């Protein structure tokens, strides 16, 4: 420590860290000077007083010198502290990376395991965050309220919209709402010009209030004024950003130009919306004012979608309460619109929810939360594996910890030491996880069902990265502090000498618990995945009531102006069917107003000619001859052809469910059915079609009435058949070939009629299963990772036990145990762990899968076969994972094993 | 005034470095050595020594350690670091150049008179 000066320096001088201590130290130094000097002067013969005065004179201003020295020292300390901290960090980082690199297999396994768990969690978190957690993209998103109506007596699961009367009544009377907007949607034909073909554009008829409800401001031009909501000769239109770019090439001078749309009304373009400005469920190309007359008496016609803006600070439930009260008043004010009989029969009631809830949907939110729970399980399993790896290492390191402690390392220093290592590992894993999460998210989005809202431009953003890093840091802290938890490693440890490698009972128990927990989580996850798989296969077995193979549909809309009469319309469809029918490869063709599985069909109140028959609202559609054959819907009786359709009887086909409900045991064929109105005559039922699950494969089949395009002779006007989904069955042709053939045929008949993009019915069917298959797929992926990780975990623990008990196994073999007995011993230990895990897992599954019931189809959440399968799977995994360690145990050489211990 | 102090401080630094080049000393020992070798010709306000020492410690010219005197009193000892030794060489060169230059100036002035 010292040289030259012979033991004078006893202690390294370190600048003291607190201000008071610093002052004291400087005082000590200066006082030493003064006292020694006084003694010196006294020795030269001065009196103590003289000496003191002389010394102080020579010294100068004591306080100012001491203050200056102190100021200097404080600056020095600050610099030193900074350097020291930086050095510590660098040193620890260097040390940690060296340690990690020294045991590459530990580091690699821990890294990959953790990255796998974090990556899966990050991907699903991003999905959950984007779809469920984030507010809708409106300035006042949390104040937006959806208002609709429920008609449980008509259709239990469907929701309808608002009437014009309700809209004005609520707008006028409500105190909880700041504003209310209303809209209708439609596809309007727009004629072709030189460079663009005729097409149909997505049109939104918006109340003038809608923009301010949604908080949308124009990108250029202006939006609707209040008086533009009133009918007038010239009206205005606002373009979406996308349509402005697509159709008008982003024309700078678009505002003021004229647009011909639909039935040749002229529209002045007054503005363009910013990108992404939309109502939640419809991407409109063109926005047009909705002409609503407040003076007209209310009607029972609930077709307008409504979005309301609550006043600041008013809850959705307060809005719901008030609107329901207003609705009661409204009903009482218009008893002829809402007669009591109607209210009783339909159960008509207002439905108010937050717009967010409406858009996201509780079912989708639930599915995503379940998936998030599933990946959280995967992460926990991964974490358990890594924790186990760390625990094994702790045993190897107990001597190191004890040694460091004996050398005076405090808990704080040790914590920094181990934390650096685990943080380094976790951050590397987080980096890997972000990459993996990014790729996984791409896969997930590709698999995602059509109905999953808000998926556009979804990607891993800073929130996801922050989430991933936070999780990584959390696990790093847990793993890093594990060795300190085992800080029973004290000096006694060192005395154990070579036997320092024995691990404590407690740590073995911890290791086993982790594996049992792992197996339990894997069983639960696997059960969930199997339940979804079973639902999916049940769903696939459902016959939708039609045969989608080789069927292509495209929407064709006739221009109203040129097809005013029934004859004009039916002649168009007949010509089209005839032309398409002769195209080689086409098996059948026909049109319908409502395709199964697409959109929400409304209902019409129909009546049969059976005395006292129920009058009920049922889904109806209008079809042309050939539709049933083209869709593969089987019909008993006659399937109307063109001559029957045009014969003047108005041939109708009803579904079997309808026949059963309205006619019971009687044969419906030959009977009459009609829309419930005195002006309409009965149509004649000529056939009974098999039931179609038009509302989704999970839903029961609908009781439907298929009306013809041509009505009975007695009915002069029949407003049907303007726009049909034209369906072509041509199994040997591609979708594009069918589309081209239809487009050619339509061109030949009337070049101004646009044909929409084709849609393969097989895609429609698979889409209706997409949510189930999506949930199933992701649960399967999670369950597979979970199984793999559990296998790794079991393998690790069993291997460790075998290595640890080599001596014991050696003794047993020396005492005459056979290879088979040793193998059995190892296997049974592994299976015992697995069994405990399985029991726990079944309990978790029974509790957890209850939450899944609403996502399942014809499968019970505690399906015993599924639980049994999950248990068998885990037992097999446990057996497989312990196979290699068991063989290793069996190969133990007793002599060598005993010697080495 | 400030210039005087600076000159004084620069000179004081040089004197301290020179003193410590003989071995570790506490502040008082440094002062006594300077008094001794300058034959009491250089008058220093003694307290000024300490800010100077602490500043040189901050610059890492000096290392400091607590030690005990022959009479067993605790005192703070300073020792020249490698950096301080280099600094001393540089300061000595600078000083001799300075005095040499001043000497030339004074000699020339004397000649012209």
């Amino acid at each position: 420590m010292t040289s030259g000066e012979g033991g004078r320096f006893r202690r390294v001088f370190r600048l003291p860290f607190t201000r008071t201590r610093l002052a004291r130290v400087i005082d000590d130094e200066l006082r030493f000077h003064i006292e020694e000097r006084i003694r010196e002067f006294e020795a030269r013969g001065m009196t103590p007083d003289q000496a003191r005065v002389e010394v102080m004179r020579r010294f100068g201003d004591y306080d100012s010198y001491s203050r200056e020295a102190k100021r200097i020292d404080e600056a020095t300390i600050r610099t030193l502290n900074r350097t020291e901290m930086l050095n510590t960090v660098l040193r620890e980082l260097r040390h940690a990376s060296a340690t990690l690199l020294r045991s590459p297999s530990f580091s690699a396994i821990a890294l990959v395991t953790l990255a796998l768990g974090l990556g899966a969690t990050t991907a699903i978190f991003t999905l959950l965050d984007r779809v469920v957690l984030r507010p809708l993209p409106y300035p006042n998103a949390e104040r937006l309220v959806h208002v609709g109506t429920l008609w449980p007596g008509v259709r239990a699961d469907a929701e309808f919209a608002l009437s014009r009367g309700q809209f004005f009544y609520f707008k006028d009377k409500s105190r909880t709402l700041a504003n209310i907007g209303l809209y209708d949607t439609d596809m309007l034909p727009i004629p072709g010009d030189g460079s663009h073909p005729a097409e149909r554009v997505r049109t939104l008829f918006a109340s003038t209030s809608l923009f301010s409800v949604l908080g949308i401001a124009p990108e250029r031009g202006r939006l609707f004024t209040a008086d533009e909501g009133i009918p007038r000769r010239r009206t205005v239109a606002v373009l979406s950003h996308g349509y402005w770019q697509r159709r008008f090439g982003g024309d700078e001078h678009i505002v003021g130009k004229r647009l011909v749309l639909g039935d040749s009304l002229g529209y002045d373009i007054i503005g363009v919306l910013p990108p992404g400005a939309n109502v939640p469920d419809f991407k409109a190309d063109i926005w047009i004012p909705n002409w609503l007359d407040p003076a007209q008496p209310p009607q029972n016609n609930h077709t307008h979608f409504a979005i309301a803006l609550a006043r600041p600070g008013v809850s959705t439930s307060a809005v719901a309460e008030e609107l329901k009260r207003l609705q009661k008043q409204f009903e009482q004010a218009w008893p002829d619109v809402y007669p009591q009989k109607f209210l009783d029969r339909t159960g008509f009631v207002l439905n108010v929810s937050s717009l967010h809830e409406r858009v996201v949907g509780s079912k989708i939110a639930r599915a995503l939360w379940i998936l998030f729970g599933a990946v959280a399980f995967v992460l926990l399993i991964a974490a358990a594996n890594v924790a186990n790896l760390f625990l094994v290492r702790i045993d190897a390191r107990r001597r190191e910890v004890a040694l460091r402690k004996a050398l005076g390392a405090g808990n704080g220093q040790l914590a920094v030491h181990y934390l650096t290592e685990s943080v380094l590992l976790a951050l590397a894993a987080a980096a890997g996880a972000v990459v993996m999460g990014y790729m996984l998210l791409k896969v997930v989005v590709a698999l995602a069902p059509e109905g999953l809202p808000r998926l556009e431009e979804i990607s891993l953003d800073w929130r996801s990265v922050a989430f991933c890093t936070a999780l990584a840091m959390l696990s790093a802290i847990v793993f890093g502090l594990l060795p300190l938890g085992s800080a029973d490693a004290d000096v006694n440890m060192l005395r154990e000498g070579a036997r320092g490698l024995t691990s404590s009972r407690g740590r073995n128990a911890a290791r086993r618990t982790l594996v049992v927990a792992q197996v339990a989580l894997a069983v639960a996850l696997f059960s969930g995945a199997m339940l979804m798989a079973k639902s999916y296969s049940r769903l696939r077995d459902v016959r939708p009531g039609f045969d989608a193979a080789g069927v292509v549909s495209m929407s064709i809309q006739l221009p109203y102006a040129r097809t005013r009469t029934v004859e004009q319309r039916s002649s168009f469809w007949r010509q089209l069917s005839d032309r398409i029918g002769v195209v080689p490869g086409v098996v059948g063709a026909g049109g319908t107003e409502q395709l199964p599985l697409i959109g929400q069909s409304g209902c019409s109140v129909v009546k049969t000619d059976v005395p006292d028959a129920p009058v009920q609202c049922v889904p109806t559609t209008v079809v042309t001859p050939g539709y049933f054959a083209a869709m593969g819907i089987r019909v008993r009786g006659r399937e109307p052809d063109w001559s029957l359709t045009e014969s003047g009887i108005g041939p109708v086909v009803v579904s079997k469910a309808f026949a059963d409900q309205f006619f019971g045991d009687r044969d419906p064929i030959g009977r009459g059915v009609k829309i419930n109105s005195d002006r309409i005559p009965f149509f004649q039922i000529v056939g009974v079609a098999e039931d179609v699950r038009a509302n989704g494969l999970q839903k029961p089949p609908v009781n439907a009435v298929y009306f013809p395009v041509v009505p009975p002779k007695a009915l002069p006007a029949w407003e049907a058949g303007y726009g049909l989904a034209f369906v072509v069955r041509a199994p040997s042709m591609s979708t594009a070939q069918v589309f081209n053939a239809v487009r050619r045929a339509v061109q030949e008949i009337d070049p101004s009629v646009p044909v929409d993009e084709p849609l393969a019915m097989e895609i429609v069917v698979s889409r209706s299963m997409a949510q189930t298959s999506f949930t199933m797929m992701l649960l399967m992926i999670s369950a597979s990772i979970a199984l793999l990780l559990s296998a790794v975990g079991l393998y690790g623990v069993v291997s460790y036990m075998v290595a640890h008990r080599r001596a014991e196994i050696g003794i047993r073999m020396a005492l005459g145990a056979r290879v088979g007995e040793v193998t059995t011993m190892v296997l049974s230990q592994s299976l015992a762990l697995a069994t405990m895990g399985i029991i726990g897992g079944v309990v978790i599954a029974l509790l957890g899968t209850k939450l899944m019931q609403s996502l399942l189809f014809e499968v019970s959440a505690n399906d015993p076969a599924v639980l049994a399968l999950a248990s068998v799977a885990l037992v097999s995994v446990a057996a497989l994972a312990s196979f290699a360690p068991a063989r290793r145990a069996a190969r133990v050489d007793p002599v060598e094993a005993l010697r080495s211990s | 005034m400030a210039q005087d102090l600076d000159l004084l401080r620069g000179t004081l630094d040089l004197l301290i470095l020179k003193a410590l080049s003989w071995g570790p000393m506490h502040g008082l020992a440094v002062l006594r050595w300077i008094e001794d070798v300058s034959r009491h010709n250089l008058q220093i306000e003694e307290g000024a020594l300490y800010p100077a020492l602490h500043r040189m410690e901050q610059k890492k010219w000096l290392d400091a350690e607590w030690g005990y005197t022959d009479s067993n009193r605790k005192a703070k000892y300073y020792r020249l670091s490698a950096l301080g030794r280099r600094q001393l060489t540089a300061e000595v060169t600078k000083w001799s150049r300075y005095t040499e230059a001043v000497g030339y100036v004074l000699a020339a002035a004397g000649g012209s008179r």
Side-chain angles (χ1 to χ4, degrees), chain A residues 13 29 33 37 65 68, chain B residues 35 45-46 55 66 78:
Chain A
F13 174 77
E29 189 181 15
H33 179 107
R37 204 64 163 155
Y65 286 130
E68 195 179 347
Chain B
E35 275 182 348
E45 202 170 43
E46 296 181 8
R55 195 170 293 115
W66 285 101
Y78 295 90

Side-chain angles (χ1 to χ4, degrees), chain A residues 835-855:
Chain A
T835 308
M836 281 192 277
I838 286 167
I839 293 168
V842 168
V843 173
I844 299 177
L846 286 179
L847 294 175
T849 47
K850 281 257 179 292
L851 299 171
M852 286 181 65
Q853 191 65 64
S854 69
L855 303 182

Side-chain angles (χ1 to χ4, degrees), chain A residues 24-247:
Chain A
R24 211 175 57 231
V25 164
I26 290 168
D27 247 22
D28 282 351
E29 189 181 15
L30 300 191
R31 261 212 327 277
F32 167 79
H33 179 107
I34 287 163
E35 284 162 12
E36 281 292 297
R37 204 64 163 155
I38 289 173
R39 201 170 302 164
E40 181 189 329
F41 285 2
E42 283 173 358
R44 285 195 211 153
M46 290 190 192
T47 66
D49 284 349
Q50 282 173 330
R52 171 162 293 274
V53 170
E54 175 60 13
V55 167
M56 291 317 285
R57 190 190 60 77
R58 284 174 176 240
F59 195 87
D61 186 348
Y62 181 95
D63 284 347
S64 113
Y65 286 130
S66 124
R67 249 200 324 276
E68 195 179 347
K70 196 174 146 202
R71 197 174 41 74
I72 294 166
D73 281 5
E74 275 169 4
T76 314
I77 289 168
R78 273 198 298 277
T79 327
L80 277 180
N81 279 350
R82 262 201 302 277
T83 336
E84 193 171 352
M85 192 131 69
L86 188 69
N87 282 338
T88 310
V89 169
L90 286 179
R91 190 180 60 241
E92 291 293 346
L93 274 180
R94 222 170 16 244
H95 184 83
S97 46
T99 316
L100 287 174
L101 289 178
R102 243 198 330 274
S103 42
S105 56
F106 162 82
S107 310
I109 294 176
L111 194 77
V112 170
T113 308
L114 210 50
L116 219 55
L118 285 172
T121 315
T122 304
I124 301 299
F125 169 78
T126 308
L127 202 63
L128 183 72
D129 182 43
R130 277 305 175 101
V131 177
V132 179
L133 299 181
R134 264 187 214 218
L136 297 171
Y138 302 108
N140 291 315
E142 75 292 346
R143 285 165 53 200
L144 292 179
V145 176
H146 159 82
V147 188
T149 49
L150 297 178
W151 307 60
V154 176
R155 266 177 65 185
D157 53 347
E159 199 204 41
F160 294 88
L162 284 196
S163 71
R164 178 178 39 77
Q166 284 173 306
F167 169 71
F168 284 115
Y169 196 77
F170 294 157
K171 198 169 162 59
D172 201 33
K173 294 272 195 308
S174 169
R175 295 284 161 269
T176 58
L177 295 181
N179 204 345
I180 181 166
L182 172 147
Y183 62 93
D184 296 284
T185 61
D186 201 355
M187 303 281 290
L188 290 188
I190 189 163
D193 56 20
S195 43
H196 299 88
E199 62 176 334
R200 295 207 302 150
V201 293
R202 301 167 69 87
T203 313
L204 191 90
F205 296 88
S207 72
T208 53
S209 55
L210 188 64
F211 288 116
S212 88
V213 167
L214 297 179
I216 294 174
E219 185 182 272
R220 43 180 75 222
R222 63 175 180 89
L223 303 177
F224 307 150
T225 57
D227 62 341
E228 276 163 351
I230 302 160
R232 47 167 71 187
R233 264 186 67 79
R234 277 170 79 104
T235 185
V236 294
V238 171
L239 303 183
S240 78
H241 183 89
Y243 194 64
W244 172 54
Q245 291 289 336
R246 199 165 72 239
R247 178 85 185 205

